[in-house]
Amino acid sequence: MLASLTKTTSMFRAVSLARAQGSIFRAANSSIAAQRYNSTSSGGKVFEIKQSEFEEKVLESKVPTVVDFYAPWCQPCKMLAPLLSKAVEKNGQVNLVKVNIDESLELAHDYRITSLPTVMAFRDGEPVSAFIGMRPAAAIEQFVNDVVTNNTPSK
């Protein structure tokens, strides 16, 4: 009985911690969500979009775009996000679009997102490269640079 109660208490603490971390993550992303995306803009920007904006903001974009499919509860997503943002801002010729799959289930289904984080690069409306999971900063920078230089393998 005591072991069961201890296990339940531990699970409650873990859920509470995850909720608190999610709140912090959402608050940090609120400033990103407040930015509006212009598909003819120059690169080096980070945006959070809804599913309804994906076609206009990614598929019709004149700027190569890296899409970060994430979820607020995903710890590797939280670790990857600042590395992606830094690489995109440093490169300056590609944009980063963040898509919360919890709010964009159909989009996640359409692009067969089965693991998080999933990062896809789009050029001229077509996916050109992708990776799943955490990567070192140097590999992320190379991925972003390859999107601009057309040095990416086709799907």
Side-chain angles (χ1 to χ4, degrees), residues 45-150:
K45 297 181 180 138
V46 179
F47 305 96
E48 176 142 351
I49 65 168
K50 303 284 184 206
Q51 180 172 318
S52 61
E53 301 170 291
F54 190 82
E55 184 174 345
E56 176 189 351
K57 310 305 188 203
V58 176
L59 302 179
E60 296 174 0
S61 177
K62 305 285 187 239
V63 177
T65 305
V66 172
V67 179
D68 177 18
F69 292 96
Y70 78 97
W73 47 262
C74 170
Q75 293 301 320
C77 299
K78 293 177 185 180
M79 295 183 327
L80 182 64
L83 298 176
L84 275 172
S85 295
K86 183 177 177 182
V88 164
E89 290 166 2
K90 181 178 177 182
N91 177 283
Q93 297 178 43
V94 62
N95 285 332
L96 174 62
V97 170
K98 299 175 64 56
V99 176
N100 179 347
I101 64 155
D102 286 344
E103 297 173 355
S104 303
L105 294 174
E106 188 175 317
L107 197 55
H109 178 265
D110 291 348
Y111 285 94
R112 296 185 173 106
I113 307 302
T114 57
S115 297
L116 294 177
T118 295
V119 178
M120 296 181 80
F122 287 78
R123 194 179 326 100
D124 300 322
E126 295 293 325
V128 293
S129 187
F131 70 85
I132 297 171
M134 187 62 189
R135 297 283 186 269
I140 294 168
E141 283 186 29
Q142 186 63 50
F143 178 83
V144 169
N145 292 336
D146 287 348
V147 174
V148 175
T149 61
N150 293 326

Side-chain angles (χ1 to χ4, degrees), residues 3-21:
S4 176
L5 182 59
T6 303
K7 184 177 180 181
T8 302
T9 303
S10 296
M11 288 174 45
F12 177 74
R13 285 185 186 143
V15 168
S16 296
L17 179 61
R19 285 183 181 155
Q21 289 174 338

